[in-house]
Amino acid sequence: MFSTFGLFQSLSCPERNNCNRPSCIFSHSLDLPSHHSLNVPVQKAQPLPQKTATPSADAAPRVVPSKRPFHNLAQGSSSSSNGIPSGPPTQRLRVGTTQKPVAVPAASHTSAGVPIIRVNPAQSQVAIPVRQAMLKTLYEHFVVLYDNILSLNPTLASEHALRQEEQVYSKSTKLTYRNAVINSIAALKRRSIPTSISHPSVGTEEDLVARAESRKKLDDLRITRLLLKPIVMSLEAMQTWGFITEVPEGLGGDQPTAEGKIVQCERCTQSYMVKNNPTSEECHYHWGRLFTHKVNGERMRSYSCCQKPAEEGGCTRGHHVFYESKAEDLHSRHAFSFTRPSVADTEMDTALDVVALDCEMIYTTGGMRVARVSVVDGSGKQVFDEQVRMDDGVEVIDYNTRFSGITQEEHAQATLSLSSIRKSLDAFINCDTIIIGHALHNDLNTLRIVHHQCVDTAIIFPHRAGPPYRRSLRDLAKEHLGLTIQAGGGTSGHSSVEDSVATLDLVRWYVLNKLKPTAKT
């Protein structure tokens, strides 16, 4: 046995008198001092102090724990009434949509450059460099296609190339995208070269499809007198909008010219004497219209022709011209008359049920006179288009080519006077024929026609500001038909045939989309 070191001799044997060990390592002495116990101080819970309106100044400061338990405020049922959570906090829910984001391009382009696709690369199925290369190819082919019209619409190729690429991308996958663009380019090469912005070849593939579907619906609609009866203007409405509903008193046509009289210039509002063949360009005017826009938060009125404020002088020089609107004055230049009555035997009457009519006017010594008349039937087919020779003694002052499209060379070939034009129109129009036009009172007044069966697109598509304001035919055609007409930009003028077809199509659109059917036709 090993000898002990006596390390436990200061400790009393746990078994005391019952110990049977021959050599116990513990002490069996009775006078050993009591061993010290380990005392751990434990702080007793103190009662919560009563809440008072004014706490005492010597109150103990509140101890805020460094880590607070998470409370789900959205679920009040998980907490007890005293604010202590009754269980573990619920898992936070992810709020939001699970739909995959779509890469919609936001492009920046100039009038003579390739548009740039600006999208998040992570949101695009196809690599952005690949899409940009395809967009550049589309742009180059649109430039070739629009070669004849880019001078008036410099950003057209960029806009259509960007939209075409976006349409192809939205319909294809990563594997089919490149071939889809190649097919679009092949379709571009097969298009005919457009000569105007309203040509059927102008637009993206979706534009052409939508336009063809809309065109088919319009062409399939057969316009009849009974179908248009609900939108024919009443006599009261015609008088409100400037139509002449009765032949003025007097001989009519006794003063075809105002030469030598003092009148007010329509352009610059100055008074002047009407002269034949004026030599000097005394009129300083704006050929554009005033429009309202905001600059630095302030409303300003500027001219559309030069963007100058309304207070500044004109930007164009020309001859003084005048315009007459009173029935007596117009009657004295050339007599008014009603449209002919219908023939008793309807089978012998060549008049049409519905026509659309438009005129182009020029300035003369007899005021504003008609220089071209165009008429299309209810299907849009041209039935009449002639230039008008001025009456004897009436001289042209300004051909107003910017708006009328009439040039001196073209008008020199006119052979029919206004009286002859009226007789020619009798073959297509009688008192029961419904005449469609835009601001039709101007056309009928310059033709010296009194007619009561009228449909005016300026009335059935009212201006939001109400009378006497009218929306332009160009804006209506763009909004409802997707067509761009009168696109000369103030240089080539209007086409009366194009305008008459546009008014007819607007009425067709109105019948299809706005007019409630009342009877089968």
Side-chain angles (χ1 to χ4, degrees):
M1 293 294 294
F2 295 100
S3 60
T4 61
F5 287 97
L7 299 178
F8 298 96
Q9 290 298 317
S10 61
L11 298 177
S12 176
C13 181
E15 298 182 2
R16 296 185 181 276
N17 296 330
N18 298 325
C19 179
N20 296 323
R21 301 182 186 91
S23 300
C24 183
I25 62 174
F26 294 100
S27 176
H28 288 266
S29 178
L30 298 177
D31 56 353
L32 287 176
S34 61
H35 61 277
H36 298 283
S37 60
L38 180 63
N39 295 325
V40 179
V42 178
Q43 185 178 1
K44 296 183 179 180
Q46 299 293 331
L48 295 175
Q50 298 293 330
K51 293 184 179 180
T52 58
T54 57
S56 59
D58 57 349
R62 182 183 178 187
V63 178
V64 180
S66 59
K67 293 184 179 180
R68 299 183 182 181
F70 173 78
H71 298 279
N72 190 355
L73 300 179
Q75 298 182 358
S77 60
S78 63
S79 300
S80 61
S81 59
N82 59 0
I84 301 176
S86 60
T90 58
Q91 183 180 4
R92 295 195 183 197
L93 300 179
R94 180 176 295 176
V95 180
T97 178
T98 59
Q99 184 178 1
K100 183 179 179 180
V102 180
V104 178
S108 63
H109 55 80
T110 61
S111 59
V114 182
I116 301 174
I117 298 178
R118 300 188 183 277
V119 297
N120 187 349
Q123 293 181 326
S124 179
Q125 300 182 67
V126 182
I128 298 301
V130 175
R131 293 183 61 182
Q132 187 63 49
M134 294 292 100
L135 177 59
K136 180 181 179 182
T137 305
L138 282 171
Y139 168 76
E140 292 172 350
H141 283 82
F142 270 110
V143 169
V144 174
L145 179 65
Y146 295 163
D147 182 57
N148 295 334
I149 59 177
L150 275 183
S151 58
L152 297 177
N153 307 275
T155 64
L156 195 63
S158 298
E159 295 170 358
H160 288 184
L162 179 69
R163 288 172 51 205
Q164 182 66 52
E165 192 278 336
E166 180 181 355
Q167 292 169 8
V168 171
Y169 172 80
S170 62
K171 293 181 179 180
S172 58
T173 65
K174 182 178 181 180
L175 300 177
T176 62
Y177 170 77
R178 189 185 297 269
N179 287 337
V181 175
I182 293 174
N183 292 335
S184 296
I185 294 173
L188 285 176
K189 293 180 178 180
R190 291 192 296 266
R191 294 189 195 180
S192 58
I193 302 298
T195 55
S196 66
I197 196 171
S198 59
H199 194 275
S201 295
V202 176
T204 64
E205 289 182 4
E206 290 187 1
D207 292 340
L208 269 59
V209 172
R211 194 182 304 150
E213 293 178 354
S214 177
R215 181 75 260 171
K216 186 177 184 303
K217 291 181 180 179
L218 294 179
D219 292 341
D220 291 343
L221 178 64
R222 182 172 175 265
I223 294 292
T224 63
R225 188 182 302 159
L226 182 61
L227 191 63
L228 299 184
K229 186 176 180 180
I231 56 176
V232 172
M233 300 178 66
S234 64
L235 287 179
E236 294 77 10
M238 294 179 68
Q239 292 170 358
T240 301
W241 287 97
F243 287 80
I244 296 176
T245 57
E246 297 292 338
V247 176
E249 297 181 357
L251 179 62
D254 54 330
Q255 297 180 10
T257 179
E259 188 174 351
K261 294 184 177 181
I262 303 297
V263 295
Q264 186 181 51
C265 179
E266 184 192 10
R267 292 169 169 170
C268 65
T269 69
Q270 294 183 4
S271 297
Y272 77 102
M273 178 181 291
V274 179
K275 300 178 182 179
N276 184 11
N277 296 324
T279 56
S280 61
E281 295 182 343
E282 302 172 349
C283 185
H284 196 198
Y285 66 98
H286 293 281
W287 58 264
R289 294 184 177 182
L290 280 171
F291 68 98
T292 303
H293 61 109
K294 287 187 177 182
V295 177
N296 297 328
E298 297 184 2
R299 292 169 60 91
M300 291 189 60
R301 297 271 288 171
S302 303
Y303 285 98
S304 60
C305 51
C306 60
Q307 309 302 317
K308 289 184 178 180
E311 298 78 16
E312 293 194 17
C315 61
T316 307
R317 289 191 175 274
H319 299 299
H320 288 302
V321 295
F322 71 99
Y323 172 82
E324 295 173 320
S325 58
K326 293 183 179 180
E328 296 77 12
D329 296 336
L330 296 174
H331 188 58
S332 66
R333 307 297 178 210
H334 191 101
F336 276 90
S337 62
F338 283 97
T339 47
R340 70 171 177 84
S342 58
V343 178
D345 187 358
T346 56
E347 294 183 357
M348 298 296 295
D349 199 337
T350 59
L352 303 174
D353 285 349
V354 178
V355 298
L357 179 146
D358 188 75
C359 299
E360 302 296 346
M361 281 80 82
I362 61 178
Y363 291 105
T364 70
T365 56
M368 181 170 276
R369 301 293 291 269
V370 60
R372 181 183 178 186
V373 184
S374 300
V375 180
V376 298
D377 61 13
S379 64
K381 180 181 178 182
Q382 176 182 317
V383 296
F384 188 82
D385 183 30
E386 290 289 343
Q387 303 235 11
V388 185
R389 177 174 57 83
M390 295 297 106
D391 293 338
D392 295 338
V394 178
E395 300 294 334
V396 178
I397 301 299
D398 191 337
Y399 287 96
N400 200 27
T401 306
R402 177 179 283 112
F403 297 104
S404 67
I406 305 295
T407 62
Q408 183 176 0
E409 294 76 13
E410 293 175 349
H411 191 258
Q413 301 176 4
T415 58
L416 298 178
S417 64
L418 180 55
S419 298
S420 301
I421 293 289
R422 285 293 309 276
K423 291 180 180 179
S424 300
L425 292 178
D426 287 342
F428 314 109
I429 302 172
N430 63 16
C431 61
D432 296 325
T433 301
I434 295 180
I435 301 179
I436 298 172
H438 185 82
L440 186 57
H441 69 289
N442 289 326
D443 302 311
L444 296 183
N445 289 352
T446 193
L447 286 170
R448 304 301 194 263
I449 290 178
V450 180
H451 191 73
H452 294 165
Q453 302 295 314
C454 300
V455 174
D456 197 331
T457 52
I459 311 303
I460 63 176
F461 296 96
H463 194 283
R464 62 181 180 180
Y469 299 101
R470 297 177 175 89
R471 297 190 63 185
S472 67
L473 180 61
R474 179 180 180 179
D475 290 343
L476 292 176
K478 183 67 174 179
E479 177 179 346
H480 300 293
L481 304 177
L483 297 177
T484 303
I485 63 173
Q486 303 173 358
T491 57
S492 61
H494 303 174
S495 168
S496 52
V497 175
E498 181 184 51
D499 291 354
S500 59
V501 173
T503 56
L504 176 67
D505 288 342
L506 281 171
V507 172
R508 286 170 161 174
W509 185 95
Y510 185 87
V511 171
L512 286 173
N513 298 275
K514 297 291 186 180
L515 190 62
K516 296 181 180 179
T518 56
K520 293 183 179 180
T521 57

